[in-house]
Amino acid sequence: MHIEFRHLRSIKAIHDTGGLARAAEVLGLTQSALSHQIKGIEDQAGVELFVRRSKPLKLSPAGKRLLAAAERILPEVEAVQAEFEGLVQGRAGRLHIAIECHACFEWLFPVLEQFRRAWPDVDVDIRAGLAFEAMPALAREEVDLVITSDPEEMGGLTYLPLFDYEPVLVAKEDHPLAAKPFVTPGDLRGETLITYPVDRAKLDVFSQFLVPAGEEPAAVRQVELTAVILLLVASGRGVTVLPDWVLRQSRYGAGYITRPLTEGGITRRLFAAVRTVDSGLPFMAHLARLARQEAVRLRRDA
């Protein structure tokens, strides 16, 4: 027996409308074509699907069984069709994010909350465990977007610029470095440097400041949370280097000062790396726009 989706739709339409004529109108068929279709199913099954002499038309036991299948299967098919239409039109999709910028977790959450309200059909997730192999994971389609400040030359990837930031030294307010207008790499030789627990190559203080100058801090202490890093700094347990926008979030309190790295400061740019084939998706562009707006808000509220 060969049952098609149109057969399921027909049996349900006849049941819902109570007759062939109205069902044919709903389905956009002639009554003759619908009657022929039902006769074909009955011939295949060897049973009648309707009690012919009843008004309105009633289903036979076999017809009720087919109706139950239609009521179970058709909503699933319609949901899949709607999902594919959303994908084609850019309303739906998957947005799994990996983050190379450890501090970006806190900055990204308000952006994603706005994004979620605008794009409820996009499946959003943060894949923190892939932070150290984020670009290969993006190329393998394990994630769909990577927040990074270190663009890599990889075929098939596009980098959407988000915003510029300045990594700055943060020290206790009465620290000796507070007397200087800016700090040099050599100033950290005797300091305990508090960092996030990520590879040195992903930390601006090493890649952009200390390593090019051939300098090392006296010790490195790794801490997971920004609030704890600033608490330790304010307690005189060490110094840190953080993006300037982190310090604009006033909930972390006071007790510390900030100074530029080098006389001219260091400017970095944050990017959203995506696969080039996905770069034209409307929700990708909207996420980038929300990120830029959040950066403006942080500067305005500073």
Side-chain angles (χ1 to χ4, degrees):
M1 183 177 178
H2 181 66
I3 299 177
E4 302 175 19
F5 290 132
R6 63 191 179 99
H7 298 148
L8 299 178
R9 294 187 181 99
S10 295
I11 202 81
K12 188 173 187 310
I14 295 170
H15 170 72
D16 291 347
T17 61
L20 284 174
R22 292 182 62 192
E25 184 179 345
V26 168
L27 294 168
L29 301 172
T30 65
Q31 184 173 340
S32 175
L34 181 57
S35 180
H36 183 74
Q37 184 188 118
I38 296 301
K39 183 67 167 59
I41 304 173
E42 291 178 328
D43 289 345
Q44 286 189 66
V47 295
E48 289 189 348
L49 299 178
F50 296 93
V51 180
R52 287 296 196 281
R53 290 172 296 278
S54 64
K55 286 189 178 182
L57 203 58
K58 292 183 179 179
L59 291 166
S60 68
K64 291 178 180 177
R65 178 68 185 84
L66 192 61
L67 175 64
E71 291 177 335
R72 184 180 70 256
I73 294 169
L74 289 177
E76 295 183 12
V77 173
E78 290 166 2
V80 171
Q81 289 175 331
E83 181 178 345
F84 274 74
E85 288 173 4
L87 289 170
V88 170
Q89 298 172 13
R91 296 194 313 267
R94 189 190 76 168
L95 185 59
H96 289 187
I97 302 170
I99 302 176
E100 290 189 339
C101 162
H102 197 84
C104 288
F105 277 105
E106 296 170 68
W107 154 79
L108 189 59
F109 288 147
V111 173
L112 290 181
E113 179 58 26
Q114 296 177 68
F115 181 86
R116 178 189 63 79
R117 292 195 295 267
W119 301 91
D121 294 326
V122 175
D123 175 30
V124 178
D125 193 11
I126 296 179
R127 307 290 296 278
L130 293 171
F132 307 128
E133 297 293 338
M135 291 306 177
L138 178 62
R140 293 193 302 268
E141 300 188 14
E142 294 175 13
V143 296
D144 309 295
L145 184 147
V146 176
I147 303 295
T148 183
S149 57
D150 298 298
E152 299 178 21
E153 289 295 330
M154 293 181 65
L157 299 186
T158 293
Y159 293 88
L160 306 176
L162 298 180
F163 57 85
D164 292 344
Y165 68 92
E166 181 184 358
V168 295
L169 179 93
V170 189
K172 188 179 179 183
E173 56 189 356
D174 60 356
H175 192 283
L177 291 177
K180 301 190 62 175
F182 61 89
V183 294
T184 63
D187 289 330
L188 300 192
R189 280 184 211 142
E191 301 293 336
T192 294
L193 180 63
I194 305 172
T195 74
Y196 294 112
V198 300
D199 188 87
R200 287 186 172 203
K202 301 296 183 184
L203 293 170
D204 291 333
V205 63
F206 284 104
S207 66
Q208 307 298 313
F209 188 60
L210 293 174
V211 171
E215 295 287 356
E216 280 284 323
V220 174
R221 180 174 178 176
Q222 294 187 330
V223 175
E224 185 76 28
L225 299 176
T226 302
V228 177
I229 290 177
L230 291 175
L231 178 66
L232 292 171
V233 168
S235 300
R237 304 300 178 88
V239 299
T240 191
V241 170
L242 293 173
D244 55 351
W245 56 263
V246 172
L247 284 309
R248 296 187 183 116
Q249 296 176 303
S250 60
R251 67 177 182 273
Y252 293 127
Y256 50 80
I257 54 91
T258 64
R259 293 293 180 269
L261 303 181
T262 74
E263 184 174 7
I266 295 174
T267 299
R268 300 282 282 152
R269 176 163 292 181
L270 209 60
F271 296 88
V274 300
R275 289 181 293 277
T276 301
V277 295
D278 295 336
S279 61
L281 291 172
F283 61 78
M284 290 290 192
H286 191 206
L287 182 72
R289 186 161 64 253
L290 289 174
R292 297 181 193 114
Q293 290 172 353
E294 179 67 10
V296 171
R297 185 191 68 78
L298 287 173
R299 282 195 291 269
R300 184 180 64 242
D301 295 346

